[in-house]
Amino acid sequence: MYICMCNAVTDHAIRRAAADGVESFVELQARTGCSDCCGACEPEARQCLRDAVDAARSALAFVPSPA
């Protein structure tokens, strides 16, 4: 689903960015261009990024540490 219509940024692109280490909205904007035009998508983009970062952190919690 498109989150940012101005720059054609999808929810998948935001989740991928979070998986690649993006944790702040400023980083997301720099990497994808999301919400740097009209700004109408900012609330939804921020929420999508928050959810993706939380999911990535939860996944890491299950990774066993090396012995």
Side-chain angles (χ1 to χ4, degrees):
M1 166 176 72
Y2 283 97
I3 301 291
C4 177
M5 296 298 287
C6 295
N7 292 310
V9 179
T10 63
D11 60 322
H12 177 75
I14 293 173
R15 288 193 308 271
R16 185 176 49 235
D20 289 343
V22 171
E23 293 189 351
S24 74
F25 190 69
V26 172
E27 285 180 282
L28 181 68
Q29 287 181 298
R31 179 140 343 157
T32 65
C34 186
S35 190
D36 71 353
C37 195
C38 78
C41 65
E42 185 174 343
E44 190 171 358
R46 283 183 181 276
Q47 185 62 52
C48 186
L49 178 62
R50 259 193 308 272
D51 293 345
V53 168
D54 289 345
R57 286 180 181 159
S58 293
L60 288 176
F62 292 106
V63 176
S65 58

